[in-house]
Amino acid sequence: NAGVTQTPKFQVLKTGQSMTLQCAQDMNHEYMSWYRQDPGMGLRLIHYSVGAGITDQGEVPNGYNVSRSTTEDFPLRLLSAAPSQTSVYFCASSYRGLRGEEQYFGPGTRLTVT
Amino acid sequence: AQSVTQLDSQVPVFEEAPVELRCNYSSSVSVYLFWYVQYPNQGLQLLLKYLSGSTLVKGINGFEAEFNKSQTSFHLRKPSVHISDTAEYFCAVSDPVEVQGAQKLVFGQGTRLTINP
């Protein structure tokens, strides 16, 4: 199993550009989520999904869109990038997303918006 | 809302010395607690978790943590560290309020552990 994979690893955008961060898992996990990691702030939840066709907002959803058309994939879209979205983005998954379950994290995407 | 405070942003330690990384959380309601480790240029991986039962939890790589309900703390310890333990460590709590049956993890700010030879 590859686990949780993310592409790209690095990306530089100009303000106003759009892009999609890709996330895929091959563990047949129902629950997937996106976090952003900023210095001194730990990880903050952006959006999550409890299964195909079901998504919901986390703590910091503004400026991001998600969809979940398959169990395996959970892309994160930035519609109009802003410098405040410069961060490291992590995708994570767990079997059913129940309390107490371990979450498996991808290697991250480092995004810089100029 | 839940919050998690990691009291030290950086902890330098000499190799083979003991270490304690401190974590306090805000709620006294039933919580699940986690420690994750992030090695350089990698994603996070689970070190250990507390769900219920014994307050002393053992994890991978010789780490352990003690749940203290009265002090709302979940400090991480290792009796003798190795160079390979150099990483960032995150404490997290599972919010007791679930939406659509899904847990939400709230993370602390992270503690960067540096092991010096």
Side-chain angles (χ1 to χ4, degrees):
Chain A
N1 287 348
V4 180
T5 58
Q6 292 182 238
T7 55
K9 289 188 177 180
F10 301 94
Q11 183 70 49
V12 179
L13 290 179
K14 294 187 188 306
T15 297
Q17 287 184 319
S18 63
M19 79 160 296
T20 299
L21 307 186
Q22 301 290 347
C23 174
Q25 52 89 12
D26 61 359
M27 297 174 282
N28 202 31
H29 285 173
E30 292 184 11
Y31 180 86
M32 297 184 74
S33 56
W34 278 101
Y35 293 87
R36 59 177 290 172
Q37 181 184 24
D38 301 295
M41 301 187 73
L43 279 75
R44 292 179 293 168
L45 182 65
I46 305 172
H47 285 283
Y48 66 95
S49 168
V50 298
I54 306 170
T55 65
D56 205 346
Q57 297 180 352
E59 180 186 355
V60 288
N62 292 341
Y64 307 95
N65 276 357
V66 292
S67 60
R68 182 102 177 267
S69 56
T70 67
T71 300
E72 294 78 19
D73 301 297
F74 190 44
L76 178 73
R77 281 182 287 276
L78 284 70
L79 299 178
S80 179
S84 61
Q85 293 179 304
T86 293
S87 187
V88 181
Y89 291 85
F90 288 101
C91 179
S93 73
S94 67
Y95 180 49
R96 290 176 60 193
L98 299 180
R99 289 189 70 215
E101 280 184 1
E102 176 180 358
Q103 292 200 25
Y104 294 83
F105 286 80
T109 294
R110 187 174 294 274
L111 175 67
T112 302
V113 182
T114 62
Chain B
Q2 282 280 359
S3 67
V4 177
T5 302
Q6 291 183 240
L7 296 161
D8 305 294
S9 60
Q10 296 189 60
V11 173
V13 180
F14 286 109
E15 195 172 15
E16 298 184 5
V19 69
E20 178 179 79
L21 306 184
R22 297 179 292 169
C23 172
N24 286 90
Y25 59 94
S26 61
S27 174
S28 59
V29 177
S30 172
V31 292
Y32 292 169
L33 295 154
F34 305 79
W35 275 99
Y36 280 84
V37 59
Q38 183 182 26
Y39 297 107
N41 301 312
Q42 295 187 27
L44 281 71
Q45 65 181 88
L46 183 68
L47 265 182
L48 49 80
K49 63 182 179 181
Y50 171 80
L51 304 184
S52 65
S54 172
T55 57
L56 185 62
V57 180
K58 294 191 183 299
I60 61 171
N61 301 338
F63 284 93
E64 62 182 30
E66 184 153 21
F67 170 62
N68 188 318
K69 186 175 180 179
S70 62
Q71 297 187 9
T72 59
S73 67
F74 190 55
H75 300 334
L76 180 71
R77 296 192 291 257
K78 186 170 182 178
S80 176
V81 296
H82 190 266
I83 292 282
S84 59
D85 293 322
T86 295
E88 190 150 20
Y89 292 78
F90 292 94
C91 182
V93 60
S94 179
D95 196 308
V97 177
E98 291 181 5
V99 177
Q100 296 189 67
Q103 77 168 338
K104 291 184 180 181
L105 282 182
V106 176
F107 284 85
Q109 302 91 328
T111 297
R112 187 170 300 277
L113 178 63
T114 304
I115 311 301
N116 299 306

